[in-house]
Amino acid sequence: VFIQQRQRRIDKVTTKFERAEALRSMQAWHDAGVFVLPAYKGNNNDKKKFPIGDPKNSYRYAHWRDGEVEPPPIEDRIDKIRKGHSDGICVLCGPCSKGLESLEVEGFVDAEIIAELVMNIEEAGLGEVWERIEAGVVDRTPSGGLHWYFFVDGENKGNTPLAYPEPGHEKSSKAMIETRGRGGLMVSSHSGGQTHPNGGVCLLYTSPSPRDA
């Protein structure tokens, strides 16, 4: 009984910490001009990673994203986390967020493939651009993946798969490297364990300021 009570106290402190970190992150993204929403609070068996919205329509964020419906004030969005309805945040990419995009590498991708990706970027003459992106904002996901954030001048394309695993791979149907652009949605740091399907925490890997993206 003592061990169970102690664990409950630890869980309560952890939840408060994660909520406070999510609040700080949400405000920082908002201050950088990025459209950010509180994330759906699921559990380890729930595969949803939606922002909180109309309970009859989990994709209501699409109307906010496209400017069809005025989004809730930032104070209301922050209040969702403060009151415990969420412990994570969703960042929307594209024109609604000043041209924010992200390069996403899944957790099952090994270091050799990432090295090959960087080599291809450098061979394309974009080495300097990549250095700037890598020095900016990077998230590490609960599954071990990485999200690099950057702002794009000009047109934002939609989500674009860049590479798939070889045929026969258990996840061969899932893009292992892709961009998130217009219409894209990212669960971003800091998002607590009740946000991601595997119960892990999405952590900031490099710069603490979204303005560095």
Side-chain angles (χ1 to χ4, degrees), residues 105-114 144 176-177:
V105 174
E106 293 293 338
F108 61 85
V109 176
D110 60 37
E112 289 184 7
I113 294 178
I114 294 178
M176 60 183 185
I177 303 174

mmCIF file of all heavy atoms in Angstrom, residues 105-114 144 176-177:
data_model
loop_
_atom_site.group_PDB
_atom_site.id
_atom_site.type_symbol
_atom_site.label_atom_id
_atom_site.label_comp_id
_atom_site.label_asym_id
_atom_site.label_seq_id
_atom_site.Cartn_x
_atom_site.Cartn_y
_atom_site.Cartn_z
ATOM 1 N N VAL A 105 11.512 12.252 -39.204
ATOM 2 C CA VAL A 105 12.148 10.941 -39.377
ATOM 3 C C VAL A 105 11.598 10.018 -38.288
ATOM 4 O O VAL A 105 11.644 10.348 -37.103
ATOM 5 C CB VAL A 105 13.685 11.037 -39.254
ATOM 6 C CG1 VAL A 105 14.310 9.654 -39.299
ATOM 7 C CG2 VAL A 105 14.249 11.901 -40.375
ATOM 8 N N GLU A 106 11.049 8.887 -38.692
ATOM 9 C CA GLU A 106 10.429 7.955 -37.749
ATOM 10 C C GLU A 106 11.470 7.291 -36.845
ATOM 11 O O GLU A 106 12.646 7.170 -37.187
ATOM 12 C CB GLU A 106 9.629 6.893 -38.490
ATOM 13 C CG GLU A 106 8.405 7.425 -39.217
ATOM 14 C CD GLU A 106 7.328 7.942 -38.274
ATOM 15 O OE1 GLU A 106 7.320 7.536 -37.095
ATOM 16 O OE2 GLU A 106 6.499 8.751 -38.711
ATOM 17 N N GLY A 107 10.995 6.826 -35.674
ATOM 18 C CA GLY A 107 11.888 6.238 -34.687
ATOM 19 C C GLY A 107 12.562 4.953 -35.107
ATOM 20 O O GLY A 107 13.605 4.585 -34.556
ATOM 21 N N PHE A 108 11.971 4.246 -36.085
ATOM 22 C CA PHE A 108 12.582 2.976 -36.499
ATOM 23 C C PHE A 108 13.691 3.158 -37.533
ATOM 24 O O PHE A 108 14.301 2.195 -37.987
ATOM 25 C CB PHE A 108 11.517 2.006 -37.033
ATOM 26 C CG PHE A 108 10.760 2.499 -38.244
ATOM 27 C CD1 PHE A 108 11.271 2.330 -39.518
ATOM 28 C CD2 PHE A 108 9.527 3.131 -38.102
ATOM 29 C CE1 PHE A 108 10.573 2.770 -40.639
ATOM 30 C CE2 PHE A 108 8.823 3.574 -39.208
ATOM 31 C CZ PHE A 108 9.347 3.395 -40.480
ATOM 32 N N VAL A 109 13.968 4.413 -37.919
ATOM 33 C CA VAL A 109 15.014 4.702 -38.910
ATOM 34 C C VAL A 109 16.370 4.698 -38.208
ATOM 35 O O VAL A 109 16.551 5.362 -37.186
ATOM 36 C CB VAL A 109 14.767 6.066 -39.578
ATOM 37 C CG1 VAL A 109 15.900 6.413 -40.524
ATOM 38 C CG2 VAL A 109 13.440 6.046 -40.328
ATOM 39 N N ASP A 110 17.340 3.951 -38.758
ATOM 40 C CA ASP A 110 18.642 3.865 -38.098
ATOM 41 C C ASP A 110 19.559 5.020 -38.507
ATOM 42 O O ASP A 110 19.274 5.785 -39.425
ATOM 43 C CB ASP A 110 19.319 2.512 -38.368
ATOM 44 C CG ASP A 110 19.558 2.242 -39.846
ATOM 45 O OD1 ASP A 110 19.884 3.191 -40.576
ATOM 46 O OD2 ASP A 110 19.431 1.083 -40.258
ATOM 47 N N ALA A 111 20.683 5.116 -37.807
ATOM 48 C CA ALA A 111 21.609 6.236 -37.980
ATOM 49 C C ALA A 111 22.203 6.280 -39.386
ATOM 50 O O ALA A 111 22.485 7.372 -39.910
ATOM 51 C CB ALA A 111 22.732 6.142 -36.950
ATOM 52 N N GLU A 112 22.393 5.122 -40.016
ATOM 53 C CA GLU A 112 22.975 5.095 -41.355
ATOM 54 C C GLU A 112 22.080 5.789 -42.372
ATOM 55 O O GLU A 112 22.556 6.508 -43.259
ATOM 56 C CB GLU A 112 23.223 3.646 -41.790
ATOM 57 C CG GLU A 112 24.364 2.973 -41.036
ATOM 58 C CD GLU A 112 24.634 1.575 -41.559
ATOM 59 O OE1 GLU A 112 24.029 1.198 -42.590
ATOM 60 O OE2 GLU A 112 25.437 0.860 -40.947
ATOM 61 N N ILE A 113 20.775 5.590 -42.249
ATOM 62 C CA ILE A 113 19.836 6.219 -43.184
ATOM 63 C C ILE A 113 19.795 7.731 -42.955
ATOM 64 O O ILE A 113 19.728 8.511 -43.906
ATOM 65 C CB ILE A 113 18.427 5.595 -43.041
ATOM 66 C CG1 ILE A 113 18.467 4.130 -43.490
ATOM 67 C CG2 ILE A 113 17.397 6.375 -43.854
ATOM 68 C CD1 ILE A 113 17.165 3.390 -43.347
ATOM 69 N N ILE A 114 19.854 8.136 -41.693
ATOM 70 C CA ILE A 114 19.881 9.575 -41.411
ATOM 71 C C ILE A 114 21.151 10.193 -41.992
ATOM 72 O O ILE A 114 21.117 11.284 -42.572
ATOM 73 C CB ILE A 114 19.791 9.825 -39.896
ATOM 74 C CG1 ILE A 114 18.425 9.370 -39.369
ATOM 75 C CG2 ILE A 114 20.000 11.313 -39.584
ATOM 76 C CD1 ILE A 114 18.246 9.524 -37.874
ATOM 77 N N GLY A 144 11.413 7.701 -30.503
ATOM 78 C CA GLY A 144 12.806 7.859 -30.922
ATOM 79 C C GLY A 144 12.977 8.609 -32.224
ATOM 80 O O GLY A 144 14.103 8.753 -32.713
ATOM 81 N N MET A 176 9.078 6.591 -43.837
ATOM 82 C CA MET A 176 10.038 6.691 -42.739
ATOM 83 C C MET A 176 10.661 8.083 -42.667
ATOM 84 O O MET A 176 11.178 8.497 -41.634
ATOM 85 C CB MET A 176 11.139 5.633 -42.870
ATOM 86 C CG MET A 176 11.977 5.697 -44.119
ATOM 87 S SD MET A 176 13.168 4.334 -44.134
ATOM 88 C CE MET A 176 14.111 4.730 -45.621
ATOM 89 N N ILE A 177 10.590 8.823 -43.778
ATOM 90 C CA ILE A 177 11.043 10.213 -43.806
ATOM 91 C C ILE A 177 10.018 11.013 -44.608
ATOM 92 O O ILE A 177 9.660 10.614 -45.719
ATOM 93 C CB ILE A 177 12.433 10.356 -44.457
ATOM 94 C CG1 ILE A 177 13.464 9.496 -43.723
ATOM 95 C CG2 ILE A 177 12.874 11.820 -44.461
ATOM 96 C CD1 ILE A 177 14.825 9.466 -44.399
#
